[in-house]
């Protein structure tokens, strides 16, 4: 494996475009680049040094306590905590909910690290808009938004808030992905992990459901460690002791690390022995963040990436559910509070946090959480775009295109191997009606409407596309019944390739 290394860093890009000196109060800066391109390094060094020279202060905001602790330790170690203060977004949100606004006065720069947080977390944390609005309203500060996956948030800021953004970016480079595979079944994931254990290959498994992640860890307890959010009161007691060491040593000793997306940021894994990254993460932006936890050491370092696939049917169900979720918000957008209350009188199904109550001049008004609203619209548009553009295996093709990689579907590969063995066993035999039916069902070829395909032409095309080295031929023969010869038709599986049928 020989990867193309990224030579430019964010510091290089900003210097080339005039540097920090060109920024003015009120500016919004967007820094968009992949993991390992020096976003945090720029803040801790270039911006810190400039702020110190100009007697300025920096507020650095993060979305995970683990990020805050790690970054704070680095500031103390480097004696930079006098210029850079670190807080979580949730600390601001907690104050705003109590009607106690956060004090931004001491700061000249507000740095929003991993600012995809505002929209990626909004479907389960309905207060991300409070911290965002507080930051956006600081018109006398320079506000810096950084992320490897900030496109959706940028579109939100531009489209919904009409904000001008000064953007610095480095195109993401996914050359470090050696192989890209997809799976759809739980037992397939278990086989993948068994295989990694047999080969003694270090593996990280990201799962966005703590219960599911813990149950998987339980099945491989001898070889795995478990991690989840410290805010998960059900499962945090099972977090492995080794997890704390990872933040300090930037590697883990066990063979398998099974974690929720609590580890999607704030940690680097710098370990050439880590070869496999597995993601059961629905949110594509979070998935990309998870992949970025593995930091590439040299041009020969790589990962084999395996992702839980979504079928077109699953995409359809998700899109339908999302559309229902924001339908009532759409109604409020076009009507007033009174009309909304009448339309959804005592309808508890709409109470999902997109619409909330706010006291305005002594009266309760219904308001829309525009971040959550935009997230729903964006996800539906993304899923619809997948289906429209790619058709069959839309999700797999969409992800493969994003990473510019060829891909395989593990179950399809298993199915092809099993089919090849089956064809080998029946090759040269006369296949009558019952045997033909068995062959058709074993191949399992269906059209877009799920109808079983039975014609030799289509079956042979499938065998050819999967390079199985067999073809089905229709033949005729005779047999004697009651002293009379009767002609009959049968199929025969032959070794060879399809030329015509």
């Amino acid at each position: 494996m020989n990867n193309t290394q990224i030579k430019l860093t964010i510091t290089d890009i900003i210097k080339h475009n005039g540097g920090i000196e060109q920024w003015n109060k009120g500016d919004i800066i967007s820094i968009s680049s992949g993991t390992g391109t020096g976003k945090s390094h720029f803040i801790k060094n270039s911006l810190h040094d400039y702020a110190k020279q100009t007697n300025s202060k920096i507020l650095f905001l993060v979305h995970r306590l683990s990020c805050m602790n790690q970054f704070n330790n680095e500031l103390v170690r480097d004696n930079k905590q006098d210029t850079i203060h670190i807080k979580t977004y949730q600390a601001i949100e907690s104050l705003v909910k109590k009607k106690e606004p956060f004090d931004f006065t001491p700061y000249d720069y507000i740095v929003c690290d991993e600012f995809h947080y505002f929209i990626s977390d909004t479907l389960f944390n309905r207060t991300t808009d409070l911290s965002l609005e507080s930051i956006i309203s600081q018109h006398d500060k320079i506000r810096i938004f950084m992320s490897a996956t900030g496109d959706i948030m940028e579109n939100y800021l531009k489209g919904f808030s009409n904000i001008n953004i000064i953007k610095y970016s480095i195109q993401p480079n996914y050359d470090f992905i050696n192989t890209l595979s997809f799976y759809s079944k739980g037992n397939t994931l278990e086989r993948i992990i068994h295989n990694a254990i047999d080969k003694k290959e270090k593996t990280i498994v990201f799962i966005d459901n703590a219960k599911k992640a813990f149950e998987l860890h339980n099945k491989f307890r001898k070889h795995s460690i478990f991690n989840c959010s410290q805010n998960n009161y059900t499962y945090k007691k099972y977090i492995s002791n080794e997890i704390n060491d990872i933040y300090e040593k930037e590697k883990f000793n066990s063979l398998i690390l099974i974690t929720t997306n609590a580890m999607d940021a704030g940690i680097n894994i710098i370990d050439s022995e880590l070869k496999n990254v597995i993601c059961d993460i629905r949110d594509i932006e979070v998935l990309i963040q998870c992949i970025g936890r593995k930091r590439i050491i040299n041009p020969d370092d790589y990962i084999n990436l395996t992702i839980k696939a979504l079928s077109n049917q699953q995409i359809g169900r998700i899109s339908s559910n999302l559309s229902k979720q924001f339908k009532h918000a759409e109604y409020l957008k076009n009507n007033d509070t009174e009309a909304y209350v009448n339309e959804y009188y005592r309808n508890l199904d709409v109470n999902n946090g997109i619409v909330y109550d706010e006291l305005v001049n002594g009266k309760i008004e219904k308001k829309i959480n525009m971040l959550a609203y935009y997230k729903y619209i964006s996800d539906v548009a993304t899923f619809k775009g997948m289906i429209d553009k790619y058709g069959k295996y839309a999700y797999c093709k969409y992800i493969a295109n994003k990473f510019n990689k060829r891909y395989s579907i593990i179950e399809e590969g298993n199915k092809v191997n099993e089919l090849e063995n089956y064809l080998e066993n029946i090759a040269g035999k006369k296949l009558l009606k019952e045997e033909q039916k068995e062959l058709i069902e074993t191949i399992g070829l269906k059209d877009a409407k799920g109808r079983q395909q039975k014609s030799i032409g289509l079956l042979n095309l499938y065998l050819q596309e999967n390079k199985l080295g067999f073809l089905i031929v229709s033949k005729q023969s005779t047999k004697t019944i009651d002293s009379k010869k009767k002609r009959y038709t049968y199929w025969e599986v032959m070794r060879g390739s399809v030329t015509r049928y």
Side-chain angles (χ1 to χ4, degrees), residues 63 89 112-118 146-148 265-266 289 293:
H63 71 313
Y89 297 111
C112 299
D113 193 32
E114 309 293 4
F115 82 106
H116 59 274
Y117 154 81
F118 293 118
M146 307 194 306
S147 180
Q289 290 289 333
R293 295 312 96 216

Side-chain angles (χ1 to χ4, degrees), residues 285-299:
E285 309 305 312
V286 175
L287 184 150
I288 292 171
Q289 290 289 333
C290 291
I291 295 166
R293 295 312 96 216
K294 156 81 174 187
R295 296 301 171 97
I296 302 304
I297 300 170
N298 56 55

Side-chain angles (χ1 to χ4, degrees), residues 214 226 228-230 232-240:
F214 179 71
F226 171 76
C228 69
S229 169
Q230 289 285 351
N232 190 311
Y233 295 105
T234 304
Y235 293 100
K236 71 176 183 178
K237 60 188 173 186
Y238 302 112
I239 295 175
S240 305

Side-chain angles (χ1 to χ4, degrees), residues 31-58:
I31 297 176
S32 174
S33 66
T35 52
T37 52
K39 295 187 293 295
S40 295
H41 182 272
F42 166 76
I43 302 299
K44 288 184 288 186
N45 294 276
S46 299
L47 186 61
H48 167 271
D49 295 346
Y50 183 77
K52 196 170 182 66
Q53 290 168 19
T54 57
N55 198 28
S56 302
K57 300 293 183 189
I58 301 166

